[in-house]
Every structure is written in structure tokens, then in C-alpha cells.
Amino acid sequence: MTTSISPRMLEVQLMVDHPQLQSAELEKLLTLPADEHWDVGDVVPGSKRRYQFSRWALRTVANSLDELSDAIQVLTQRIRGIEQKFDLLPNGSTVGLTLFVTETNTVIGMGIDAEAIKLLARINAGIEVSLVVTTSD
């Protein structure tokens, strides 16, 4: 009997979206090159649809659940280096943190919006994500 383990990618992204600004303008405000970006009106890869907003994003990838904590720490350090720059973002900007788990044919994503983060910060709470992943025999 052989057991195959499906490829899994754990990715954490900090995303800044804006309905009108170009990703290069967001990058200029934040003073850090994006790991991933697109502009409003660009064609979504593999689709005929167009993006309804521009995105500037920092991303980090872990190869296993054991590495996820370290990957998040790396992203956190990068964000801390430009933390004050987020105050320069114009109205209409949306900032979000998302954890993606990509299995063979499925992507599971979890986002936490700004209001929830503000509430957690006010009560000095952290965020914990628990994932249960099993493989079939």
C-alpha cells in the first residue's frame, strides 16, 4: 500500500486594496515592493473577468504547519518596518490579513476584517487559527 500526500501550501498575505489607485501608487506610499500586485481593470488570469480593485500584497509561504508560525513572524517583521506608512493610505483603502491553505484542487481562505482586528486589539486579544488537515490512505 502506498500513501500519497497531497501537495499543500500555507500562505499568509497582508493585502492593501483600493478601487481606483494603481498598485504602483500604493507601493510608493508604503515604500516597499509588493510580493504580489495587480491593477484595477487587469484581466484575472485564466478568466475573462477584470479586477475591480488594485492590490498591493506582502506574502509568505510555509511548507508545513510546523513552519507556519515562523512564516507569520517573517511577515510580521516586514510589516513592522513600514507600520507608520499605513497611516498614509487614502480613504477607500482596505487592509486585510488572509491565511490561505491550498490543497490539490481546493483553496481554503480565512480573512479577518479591520473591525474585528480593532476589537481584538482593544481587549488585548490575539488571533489563533486552528487547522485540521488529514490525508486519505
Side-chain angles (χ1 to χ4, degrees), residues 17 22-23 36-40 42 51 53-56:
D17 297 338
Q22 299 293 298
S23 60
E36 180 176 282
H37 63 88
W38 64 70
D39 293 315
V40 62
D42 286 352
Y51 287 112
F53 54 88
S54 297
R55 172 166 289 167
W56 171 98

Side-chain angles (χ1 to χ4, degrees), residues 1 4-5 18 24 29 48 59 70 78 82 85 126-127 134:
M1 175 197 308
S4 64
I5 298 173
H18 197 279
L29 288 169
K48 293 181 181 180
R59 62 189 292 265
D70 291 338
R78 292 178 70 196
I82 61 167
K85 303 294 182 180
I127 298 171
T134 61

Side-chain angles (χ1 to χ4, degrees), residues 9-77:
M9 185 174 69
L10 304 168
E11 181 177 335
V12 183
Q13 284 192 14
L14 177 76
M15 300 169 286
V16 177
D17 297 338
H18 197 279
Q20 295 157 346
L21 289 181
Q22 299 293 298
S23 60
E25 295 172 281
L26 294 170
E27 184 172 298
K28 186 176 178 180
L29 288 169
L30 295 169
T31 67
L32 188 64
D35 296 327
E36 180 176 282
H37 63 88
W38 64 70
D39 293 315
V40 62
D42 286 352
V43 175
V44 176
S47 171
K48 293 181 181 180
R49 296 179 303 133
R50 295 190 177 272
Y51 287 112
Q52 301 298 308
F53 54 88
S54 297
R55 172 166 289 167
W56 171 98
L58 296 179
R59 62 189 292 265
T60 186
V61 175
N63 294 314
S64 69
L65 290 172
D66 291 337
E67 295 178 13
L68 185 57
S69 179
D70 291 338
I72 292 171
Q73 187 64 27
V74 168
L75 184 63
T76 301
Q77 290 301 328

Side-chain angles (χ1 to χ4, degrees), residues 93-121:
S93 298
T94 303
V95 180
L97 180 70
T98 301
L99 170 65
F100 296 99
V101 179
T102 304
E103 287 287 343
T104 305
N105 295 315
T106 305
V107 176
I108 303 166
M110 184 196 81
I112 303 167
D113 69 16
E115 290 306 313
I117 291 170
K118 288 176 190 175
L119 171 63
L120 294 172

